[in-house]
Structures are given as C-alpha cells and as structure tokens.
Amino acid sequence: MSSAVIQETSPARALLPKLGSLLAVAPLSVWTAWHLWENLSAWQGATVWESRVTEPGNPVASALTSLIVFGPLFVHILWGLRRLKMTRANAYPFFGNLKYVLQRLSALGLLAFIAAHVYLARIAPALRNPNGHEDFGDLAAHMRHHPPTLIVYILGVLGTAYHLANGVYTASFVHGLAASPKASRRMQVISVVVLAALLGFGWGAAAGLSTAGACVP
C-alpha cells in the first residue's frame, strides 16, 4: 500500500517545481518586463506616463490583468516560501552557491518591495479616492527630493531583475531547456541579457522620474 501511495503522489510532487517556475516565467516575468518598459514613458511627461501606467482602462480588462498577475504571484510566493524552508546551499562551486544565496535574499527583499509598491501605487490612492491612482508629480518629486525613495526603487529594480533573470536560468533546467553544457551556457547568456534589459528599463524609468521631479517643488 505504501508503494502505491508513493507512486500516486510522486507525479504530483514532481509537477510542483514545473508549475511554480512556469507561473514565475509566464505571466509574471513577461508582465514585469512590460511594466518596467511602460514606466520608461516617464521621459515623455506626466500625461503619457499616467495614461500607460496608472490610469484604469476597461474595468473587465483591468480585473483580468489583476487576476493574471496577482494570482500567479500569490502562488509563486507560497511556493517560494516553501522552497526557502526545504532547500539549502550544497556542494556546487562557489559561484553556483552565491547565485543560490542571492536568489533567496532577493526573494525576501522583493516581498517587502512588492508590498510597499502595491500599497503606494494602488491601495493608498484608492483609499483617498475610489477613482484615484498614483500621481506622477508626487512620485517624481519623491524620486528627486527624497533620496530613500530613489534608493529603494533602485535596489528594488536590482532585486527584481536579478531574481527574474536567474529564475529564467534555473527554470530552464526544470523544463529541460539546459540539459547539455552547451544549452546551459546558452541559457546563462540569455539570463544575462534579461538582467541587463530589465535593469535598463527600471533604472531608465527611475532616471526619467527623477529628471521630471526637478520641475516639481
């Protein structure tokens, strides 16, 4: 009976890592890259930025987007917390263990960053006004005149970019895309490209907001 139970539960347990990594890569990684890219519109001014980033669109589309993003995000957080408890650094070379530790540290930092970002960008404006959204002038002024805001955003983007890029690399093993040394090296290059692109988007947006904040007292 015990062997039958093991045979029955093993496929489900084997599926969890694939499901967790799949939800992280799509839709979370795709949406994150798009969100950072959209924030680059800060260089085009308040009207363009707010129309692309904060202003609500079609209610059905907005609700669907929230479900697609926050549903997988919640599942991924639970899956990630479970992995934090179950896994430890091992006998891999120093660089491999360093990436492992940074991945876990970035995950913990992202929990705090995402919570603060969601509160300031969505919850707090809604509490002030049911139709309210994050104000470009306020955010730009904080980026320019309140150094802790800029520092937190820069570190938040760094943690997001690293966690996502390294996650793409590790997910490639889970899904059999890095089964050979050549494939592994290829996925390593792809992860570096992803890291550079996300840092460019996010830090470019921060620079745009800070530049715009110079015009806000």
Side-chain angles (χ1 to χ4, degrees), residues 49-185:
W49 184 85
E50 290 183 356
S51 67
R52 293 184 179 179
V53 177
T54 63
E55 288 184 1
N58 182 283
V60 176
S62 297
L64 183 61
T65 299
S66 296
L67 179 63
I68 290 174
V69 172
F70 288 106
L73 176 61
F74 182 71
V75 173
H76 184 68
I77 288 174
L78 293 179
W79 175 71
L81 290 175
R82 181 173 179 271
R83 285 178 61 83
L84 278 174
K85 293 174 59 177
M86 294 176 59
T87 57
R88 297 289 184 274
N90 50 39
Y92 287 158
F94 172 79
F95 183 60
N97 273 320
L98 176 63
K99 291 198 300 179
Y100 171 91
V101 172
L102 290 177
Q103 186 74 352
R104 271 62 191 170
L105 290 177
S106 65
L108 295 175
L110 278 177
L111 275 177
F113 179 70
I114 291 172
H117 182 59
V118 170
Y119 176 78
L120 293 174
R122 302 192 64 167
I123 298 176
L127 292 175
R128 293 193 298 266
N129 178 1
N131 297 318
H133 53 79
E134 192 172 26
D135 182 75
F136 178 84
D138 287 345
L139 180 57
H142 275 81
M143 287 287 191
R144 183 73 178 190
H145 305 296
H146 188 247
T149 299
L150 181 61
I151 292 171
V152 167
Y153 191 93
I154 289 174
L155 293 178
V157 169
L158 177 60
T160 300
Y162 177 81
H163 193 78
L164 193 156
N166 191 58
V168 168
Y169 178 67
T170 55
S172 67
F173 287 92
V174 175
H175 295 281
L177 300 177
S180 67
K182 181 178 180 180
S184 176
R185 289 192 296 269

